[in-house]
């Protein structure tokens, strides 16, 4: 029996490098997606530092999502991956991870690291299904709404040679 395509497989989109000029456009999505969002300065500084960053747009121009990652020696550190709320639960996070992995492979990088809030079980599920392993915990890593701090889980994905 043939199943219908998932929306992320069926929707035409374009992907391009994220530029500083895009930051004002993505800030409403960042604010809608997170209780403690990145600031415009976080994005601008990351882009200026030369980190890898990509923006995904639907064919009609709607923002699907974006990711930013910092390269290191033989590895990449995923700093931010965000799917716009209207596109969540449609496979876009996996699509973006696939694109990040392709970027890593083109540079000969073989390890991907990330932190995820302990409260963000949806993202943890995506990462675990993708093949990440939980390798540690960072106490009080993230600022929390209301001024507190939240632990992060450290996750890693090793790419086969």
């Amino acid at each position: 029996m043939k199943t219908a395509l998932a929306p992320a497989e069926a929707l035409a989109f374009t992907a391009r490098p994220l530029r500083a000029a895009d930051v004002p456009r993505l800030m409403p999505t960042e604010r809608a997606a997170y209780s403690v969002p990145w600031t415009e300065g976080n994005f601008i500084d990351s882009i200026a530092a030369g980190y890898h960053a990509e923006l995904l747009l639907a064919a009609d121009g709607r923002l699907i999502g974006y990711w930013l990652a910092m390269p290191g020696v033989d590895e990449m550190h995923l700093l931010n991956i965000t799917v716009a709320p209207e596109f969540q639960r449609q496979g876009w996070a996996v699509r973006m991870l696939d694109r990040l992995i392709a970027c890593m492979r083109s540079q000969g990088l073989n390890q991907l690291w990330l932190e995820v809030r302990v409260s963000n079980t949806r993202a943890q599920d995506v990462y675990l299904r993708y093949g990440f392993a939980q390798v540690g915990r960072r106490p009080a890593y993230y600022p929390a709404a209301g001024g507190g701090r939240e632990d992060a889980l450290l996750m890693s994905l090793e790419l086969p040679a």
Side-chain angles (χ1 to χ4, degrees):
M1 182 166 113
K2 192 171 187 177
T3 58
L5 292 176
E9 295 169 339
L11 183 66
F13 73 97
T14 57
R16 65 168 173 77
L18 178 62
R19 300 182 293 253
D22 297 318
V23 173
R25 178 181 185 184
L26 65 79
M27 288 309 298
T29 297
E30 181 73 8
R31 289 184 197 106
Y34 300 108
S35 60
V36 183
W38 271 29
T39 66
E40 285 191 31
N42 294 137
F43 284 103
I44 299 294
D45 290 348
S46 295
I47 294 166
Y51 296 168
H52 297 279
E54 193 171 66
L55 182 72
L56 272 67
L57 299 168
D60 62 8
R62 290 178 296 159
L63 174 67
I64 295 170
Y66 46 88
W67 59 263
L68 293 99
M70 177 179 64
V73 177
D74 296 329
E75 64 185 30
M76 187 79 76
H77 191 125
L78 181 59
L79 302 174
N80 185 319
I81 184 169
T82 302
V83 177
E86 72 179 287
F87 291 102
Q88 290 179 358
R89 296 183 184 256
Q90 298 175 26
W92 289 105
V94 169
R95 265 317 236 314
M96 288 192 286
L97 286 169
D98 289 345
R99 296 185 60 79
L100 173 55
I101 296 300
C103 173
M104 290 176 61
R105 287 191 188 284
S106 73
Q107 298 176 34
L109 305 177
N110 58 25
Q111 191 87 20
L112 180 57
W113 298 91
L114 63 83
E115 287 87 12
V116 60
R117 289 177 182 273
V118 294
S119 64
N120 192 346
T121 56
R122 274 182 38 198
Q124 291 169 40
D125 290 343
V126 170
Y127 298 138
L128 289 170
R129 283 192 315 258
Y130 199 85
F132 282 83
Q134 181 182 332
V135 295
R137 188 177 184 112
R138 298 191 192 276
Y141 183 80
Y142 285 109
R149 304 293 297 181
E150 182 175 359
D151 289 359
L153 299 179
L154 178 61
M155 301 185 85
S156 179
L157 176 71
E158 188 170 336
L159 304 183

